[in-house]
Amino acid sequence: MALDPGDSRPPPYQQVGSSLRASILTKKPGFETGDKLPSGPELAKHFGVARGTVDKALNLLRTEGLIVTRQGSGSFVRERTSRPVGLRPHLEAAFEQQQVTLDFAGFSSETLHNALQEPLDKVRSGRLAPESIAIRLLLPDTTAPMAVPVLVDGLQDEAALRERARNIALTNAGGIAHSVEMLAELGLVQKASVEVKVHRASSLFKLYILNRSEAFFGFYPLRERTVAIDDTAHTFYDVTGKDTTLLHHAAGPDDASLGSQYVQQAQMWFDSVWSAIAYERQS
């Protein structure tokens, strides 16, 4: 399988790494937990690249914690339970499936909106071709006082800050909905949906669940910041989604594995909140 010369991501080792990463994350035969990867020469022949390119790709996967290399034995797919990760490559791998599901619980979906752009661009260009995409966004109701954002002075509620948070959430959720639903309108996917519900709890963590087989969890760091709203400065505590460290939990080969149990419990929590106490936000 020669590399795609039209791939805009230089250098070639990133293309090799991306292909191997997708195989591991989607658990293709031969790339499941504990499986030994093909040898360096075999991979070089498979991708039509130099051995040094393969070595750099494997080093990339080792850095990401996806594989482990044993001296004299080769490289093996690593058990994936919980570890810090970046979301983007996993999203792309998830979009290689025919039916894509993505559940998000968090503050505004701003990080998700940004992370989705690359896989959605690849669907638009025909490089990824899922049949269906179903996204659910579970966000806080900003019409009532929240734990954050709050003023630093006395931890007082400020309606202007909640309105600002509401606008950020509406902008990003709306952007996700427009981008995804447009794929169906253009005939690039058979079915696409984005549902948004809110709940009265304050979001102090974020959770992503991809294809009901991977979960990403992280706590929002809080920081003090000052912004001007209607020419008035407000100093307040806010969550910082882009600084959140995500821990990755992937379903293992059986329901008894730690990864499987975490993903199952995360999905059960999301589904229960979604069906029991979440409701559609009023525009």
Coordinates of all heavy atoms in Angstrom, one line a residue, residues 164-208:
R164 N -22.1 35.5 28.2 CA -20.9 35.3 27.4 C -20.6 33.9 27.2 O -20.3 33.4 26.0 CB -19.7 36.0 28.1 CG -18.4 35.7 27.4 CD -17.2 36.4 28.2 NE -15.9 36.1 27.6 CZ -15.2 35.0 27.9 NH1 -15.7 34.1 28.8 NH2 -14.1 34.8 27.3
A165 N -20.7 33.0 28.2 CA -20.5 31.6 28.1 C -21.6 31.0 27.2 O -21.3 30.1 26.4 CB -20.6 31.0 29.5
R166 N -22.8 31.5 27.3 CA -23.9 31.0 26.4 C -23.6 31.2 25.0 O -23.7 30.3 24.1 CB -25.2 31.6 26.8 CG -26.4 31.2 26.0 CD -27.6 31.9 26.5 NE -28.8 31.5 25.7 CZ -29.2 32.1 24.5 NH1 -28.5 33.2 24.1 NH2 -30.2 31.7 23.9
N167 N -23.1 32.4 24.7 CA -22.8 32.8 23.3 C -21.6 31.9 22.7 O -21.7 31.5 21.6 CB -22.4 34.2 23.2 CG -23.6 35.2 23.4 OD1 -24.8 34.7 23.2 ND2 -23.3 36.4 23.8
I168 N -20.6 31.6 23.6 CA -19.5 30.8 23.1 C -20.0 29.4 22.8 O -19.7 28.8 21.8 CB -18.4 30.7 24.2 CG1 -17.7 32.1 24.3 CG2 -17.4 29.6 23.9 CD1 -16.8 32.2 25.5
A169 N -20.9 28.8 23.7 CA -21.4 27.5 23.5 C -22.3 27.4 22.3 O -22.2 26.5 21.5 CB -22.2 27.0 24.8
L170 N -23.2 28.4 22.1 CA -24.1 28.4 21.0 C -23.3 28.5 19.6 O -23.6 27.9 18.7 CB -25.1 29.6 21.1 CG -26.2 29.5 22.1 CD1 -27.0 30.8 22.1 CD2 -27.1 28.3 21.7
T171 N -22.3 29.3 19.6 CA -21.5 29.5 18.4 C -20.8 28.2 18.0 O -20.8 27.8 16.9 CB -20.4 30.6 18.6 OG1 -21.0 31.8 18.9 CG2 -19.5 30.7 17.4
N172 N -20.2 27.5 19.0 CA -19.5 26.3 18.7 C -20.4 25.1 18.4 O -20.2 24.3 17.5 CB -18.5 25.9 19.8 CG -17.3 26.9 19.8 OD1 -16.4 26.8 19.0 ND2 -17.3 27.8 20.7
A173 N -21.5 25.0 19.2 CA -22.4 23.9 18.9 C -23.1 24.1 17.6 O -23.3 23.2 16.8 CB -23.5 23.8 20.1
G174 N -23.4 25.4 17.3 CA -24.0 25.7 16.0 C -23.1 25.4 14.8 O -23.5 24.9 13.8
G175 N -21.8 25.7 15.1 CA -20.8 25.4 14.0 C -20.7 23.9 13.7 O -20.5 23.5 12.6
I176 N -20.7 23.1 14.8 CA -20.6 21.7 14.7 C -21.8 21.2 13.9 O -21.7 20.4 13.0 CB -20.5 21.0 16.0 CG1 -19.1 21.3 16.7 CG2 -20.7 19.5 15.9 CD1 -19.0 20.8 18.1
A177 N -23.0 21.6 14.3 CA -24.2 21.2 13.7 C -24.2 21.5 12.2 O -24.6 20.7 11.3 CB -25.4 21.8 14.4
H178 N -23.9 22.8 11.9 CA -23.9 23.2 10.5 C -22.9 22.3 9.6 O -23.2 21.9 8.5 CB -23.5 24.7 10.4 CG -23.3 25.2 8.9 ND1 -24.4 25.4 8.1 CD2 -22.2 25.4 8.2 CE1 -24.0 25.8 6.9 NE2 -22.7 25.8 7.0
S179 N -21.7 22.1 10.1 CA -20.6 21.4 9.4 C -21.1 20.0 9.2 O -20.9 19.4 8.1 CB -19.3 21.5 10.1 OG -18.8 22.8 10.3
V180 N -21.6 19.3 10.2 CA -22.0 17.9 10.1 C -23.2 17.7 9.2 O -23.2 16.9 8.3 CB -22.2 17.3 11.5 CG1 -22.7 15.9 11.4 CG2 -20.8 17.3 12.2
E181 N -24.2 18.5 9.5 CA -25.5 18.3 8.8 C -25.3 18.7 7.3 O -26.0 18.2 6.4 CB -26.6 19.1 9.4 CG -27.0 18.6 10.8 CD -27.8 19.5 11.6 OE1 -28.1 20.6 11.2 OE2 -28.2 19.1 12.8
M182 N -24.4 19.6 7.0 CA -24.2 20.0 5.6 C -23.6 18.8 4.8 O -23.9 18.6 3.6 CB -23.2 21.1 5.5 CG -22.9 21.6 4.1 SD -24.4 22.3 3.3 CE -24.7 23.8 4.3
L183 N -22.9 17.9 5.5 CA -22.4 16.7 4.8 C -23.5 15.8 4.2 O -23.4 15.3 3.1 CB -21.5 15.8 5.7 CG -20.3 16.5 6.3 CD1 -19.6 15.6 7.3 CD2 -19.3 16.9 5.2
A184 N -24.6 15.7 5.0 CA -25.8 15.0 4.5 C -26.5 15.7 3.4 O -26.9 15.1 2.4 CB -26.7 14.7 5.7
E185 N -26.6 17.0 3.5 CA -27.2 17.8 2.5 C -26.5 17.7 1.1 O -27.1 17.7 0.1 CB -27.3 19.3 2.9 CG -28.3 19.5 4.1 CD -28.4 21.0 4.4 OE1 -28.0 21.8 3.6 OE2 -28.8 21.3 5.6
L186 N -25.1 17.6 1.2 CA -24.3 17.4 0.0 C -24.3 16.0 -0.5 O -23.7 15.8 -1.5 CB -22.9 17.9 0.3 CG -22.8 19.4 0.6 CD1 -21.3 19.7 1.0 CD2 -23.2 20.3 -0.6
G187 N -24.9 15.1 0.2 CA -24.9 13.7 -0.2 C -23.6 13.0 0.1 O -23.3 11.9 -0.4
L188 N -22.7 13.5 1.0 CA -21.5 12.9 1.3 C -21.6 11.8 2.4 O -20.7 11.0 2.5 CB -20.5 14.0 1.8 CG -20.1 15.0 0.7 CD1 -19.2 16.1 1.3 CD2 -19.4 14.4 -0.5
V189 N -22.6 11.9 3.2 CA -23.0 10.8 4.1 C -24.5 10.6 4.0 O -25.2 11.5 3.6 CB -22.6 11.2 5.6 CG1 -21.1 11.4 5.7 CG2 -23.4 12.4 6.0
Q190 N -24.9 9.4 4.3 CA -26.3 9.0 4.2 C -27.1 9.7 5.3 O -28.3 10.0 5.0 CB -26.5 7.5 4.2 CG -25.8 6.8 3.1 CD -25.9 5.3 3.2 OE1 -26.8 4.8 4.0 NE2 -25.1 4.5 2.4
K191 N -26.6 9.8 6.5 CA -27.3 10.4 7.6 C -26.4 11.1 8.5 O -25.3 10.7 8.8 CB -28.0 9.3 8.3 CG -29.0 9.7 9.5 CD -29.6 8.5 10.1 CE -30.6 9.0 11.2 NZ -31.2 7.8 11.9
A192 N -26.8 12.3 9.0 CA -26.0 13.1 9.9 C -26.9 13.8 10.9 O -28.0 14.3 10.5 CB -25.2 14.1 9.1
S193 N -26.6 13.8 12.1 CA -27.4 14.5 13.1 C -26.5 15.0 14.2 O -25.5 14.4 14.6 CB -28.4 13.5 13.7 OG -27.8 12.5 14.5
V194 N -26.9 16.2 14.7 CA -26.2 16.8 15.9 C -27.4 17.2 16.9 O -28.2 18.1 16.5 CB -25.4 18.0 15.5 CG1 -24.8 18.6 16.8 CG2 -24.3 17.6 14.6
E195 N -27.4 16.6 18.0 CA -28.4 17.0 19.1 C -27.7 17.7 20.2 O -26.6 17.3 20.6 CB -29.0 15.7 19.6 CG -29.8 14.9 18.6 CD -30.5 13.7 19.2 OE1 -31.5 13.8 19.8 OE2 -29.8 12.6 19.1
V196 N -28.4 18.7 20.8 CA -27.8 19.5 21.9 C -28.8 19.5 23.0 O -30.0 19.8 22.8 CB -27.5 20.9 21.5 CG1 -26.9 21.7 22.6 CG2 -26.5 20.9 20.3
K197 N -28.4 19.1 24.2 CA -29.2 19.2 25.4 C -28.4 19.9 26.5 O -27.1 19.9 26.5 CB -29.7 17.8 25.9 CG -30.8 17.2 25.1 CD -31.3 16.0 25.7 CE -32.5 15.4 25.0 NZ -33.0 14.2 25.7
V198 N -29.1 20.5 27.4 CA -28.4 21.2 28.6 C -28.9 20.5 29.9 O -30.0 19.9 29.9 CB -28.7 22.7 28.6 CG1 -28.1 23.3 27.3 CG2 -30.2 23.0 28.7
H199 N -28.2 20.8 30.9 CA -28.5 20.3 32.3 C -28.1 21.4 33.3 O -27.3 22.3 32.9 CB -27.9 19.0 32.6 CG -26.4 19.0 32.5 ND1 -25.6 19.1 33.6 CD2 -25.6 18.9 31.4 CE1 -24.3 19.1 33.3 NE2 -24.3 19.0 31.9
R200 N -28.6 21.3 34.5 CA -28.4 22.4 35.5 C -27.1 22.2 36.2 O -26.8 23.1 37.0 CB -29.6 22.4 36.4 CG -30.9 22.8 35.7 CD -32.0 23.2 36.8 NE -33.2 23.7 36.1 CZ -34.2 22.9 35.7 NH1 -34.2 21.6 35.9 NH2 -35.2 23.4 35.1
A201 N -26.3 21.2 36.0 CA -25.1 21.0 36.8 C -24.0 21.9 36.1 O -24.0 22.0 34.9 CB -24.7 19.6 36.8
S202 N -23.0 22.4 36.9 CA -21.9 23.1 36.3 C -20.9 22.1 35.8 O -20.6 21.0 36.4 CB -21.2 24.0 37.3 OG -22.2 24.9 37.8
S203 N -20.3 22.3 34.6 CA -19.3 21.4 34.0 C -17.9 21.7 34.5 O -17.3 22.7 34.1 CB -19.4 21.5 32.5 OG -20.7 21.1 32.0
L204 N -17.4 20.9 35.3 CA -16.0 21.0 35.8 C -15.1 20.0 35.2 O -13.9 19.9 35.5 CB -16.0 21.0 37.3 CG -16.8 22.0 38.0 CD1 -16.7 21.9 39.6 CD2 -16.3 23.4 37.7
F205 N -15.6 19.2 34.3 CA -14.8 18.2 33.6 C -15.4 18.1 32.2 O -16.5 18.5 31.9 CB -14.8 16.9 34.3 CG -16.2 16.2 34.3 CD1 -16.6 15.4 33.3 CD2 -17.0 16.4 35.4 CE1 -17.9 14.8 33.3 CE2 -18.3 15.8 35.5 CZ -18.7 15.0 34.4
K206 N -14.6 17.4 31.3 CA -15.1 17.1 29.9 C -15.0 15.7 29.7 O -14.1 15.0 30.2 CB -14.4 18.0 28.9 CG -12.9 17.7 28.8 CD -12.3 18.3 27.5 CE -12.5 19.8 27.5 NZ -11.8 20.4 26.2
L207 N -15.9 15.1 28.8 CA -15.9 13.7 28.5 C -16.3 13.6 27.0 O -17.2 14.2 26.5 CB -16.9 13.0 29.3 CG -17.2 11.5 28.9 CD1 -16.0 10.6 29.3 CD2 -18.5 11.0 29.7
Y208 N -15.5 12.8 26.3 CA -15.7 12.5 24.9 C -15.9 10.9 24.9 O -15.1 10.2 25.4 CB -14.6 12.8 24.0 CG -14.2 14.3 24.0 CD1 -13.3 14.8 24.9 CD2 -14.7 15.2 23.0 CE1 -12.8 16.1 24.9 CE2 -14.3 16.5 23.0 CZ -13.4 17.0 23.9 OH -13.0 18.3 23.9

